[in-house]
Amino acid sequence: MNDLRKYITSASPDGESAGQLQNKRSGGLAKRIIPCLDVKDGRTVKGVNFVDLRDAGDPVELAWQYSRQGADELVFLDITATHERRKTMAELVKAVARQVNIPFTIGGGINEIADADILLNSGADKISINSAAVRNPLLVNELAAAFGKQFVVVAVDTKFVNGRNLVHLNGGRIPTGIETENWIREVEDRGAGEILLTSMDHDGTKGGFDNILLKKINDSISIPLIASGGAGTVQHFIDVFQKTNVDAALAASVFHYGEILIPSLKERLREQHIEVRL
């Protein structure tokens, strides 16, 4: 398992790391850049608005590249595991984990404690739950109690429908009547250590993050928020940090296809007085 000591050695009694608490209280220390590997049938894929998926490469090779480029963390999402009613591919997780020396989050097909335990033992540092949490909110409590809240990321896929931001399930295939803001506050109360919020309306469009929603959410919670959906240019990363003060920005295709290189991105962020780890 990757070394998480820098995140958890100064944990507070409720499981939140001192670094996470300080980020929220001080307005932010180092911001994180996180590539995301959306994996289907053992290959990294990327689409627009969660559809029209195209191949983006070998996840093991991409993980190796990002770890060496200076990514702060890596997210691996088995995007069809829930829809196909199967578990995340543990062997592929092991192969990716062997290639990275940065925190590594796994999501997809996690429905119970045993699923998370397998993935953590396969090399994951954190686990991400999405649809399973909506169907069984107590799962958030159980995972936080079993592993510590710093290991529990709740991913939320949101879409603007009839004037409301609504949570969607199964990789965005199933709409719910649950309002995104209410759901995020609930899972924070249940013990989530971090939120990964993806705007389905912005996903893959390369038109920028949903900064209005992200700021609204970030101002209402005390745990770290990862912005996802819409990155297309370096300016989009500058904007999301300056306008919303989120803790991290996640992207896929701009990194997979070499449109933005992580070292160059971090240099530009530093030039704009946004603190990042180089």
Side-chain angles (χ1 to χ4, degrees), residues 69 234 254-255 258-266:
Q69 281 184 25
V234 169
V254 292
F255 296 143
E259 297 165 33
I260 296 177
L261 298 178
I262 293 172
S264 300
L265 169 60
K266 287 191 168 186

Side-chain angles (χ1 to χ4, degrees), residues 6 10 55 64 71 74 92 127-128 148 150 158 171 194 233 260 263:
K6 62 187 175 190
S10 301
D55 189 270
W64 181 86
L74 186 69
L92 182 56
I127 52 93
S128 172
Q150 71 271 21
T158 184
E194 196 163 17
T233 68
I260 296 177

Side-chain angles (χ1 to χ4, degrees), residues 19-20 22-24 27-34 194 218 221-227 240-241 244-249 275 277:
Q20 289 174 344
Q22 180 65 20
N23 273 354
K24 286 295 181 183
L29 295 176
K31 302 300 186 181
R32 290 173 286 151
I33 300 299
I34 306 177
E194 196 163 17
N218 200 41
I221 62 176
S222 60
I223 56 177
L225 178 64
I226 303 171
V240 75
F241 288 128
T244 76
N245 196 36
V246 292
D247 298 83
E275 185 64 30
R277 297 181 185 90

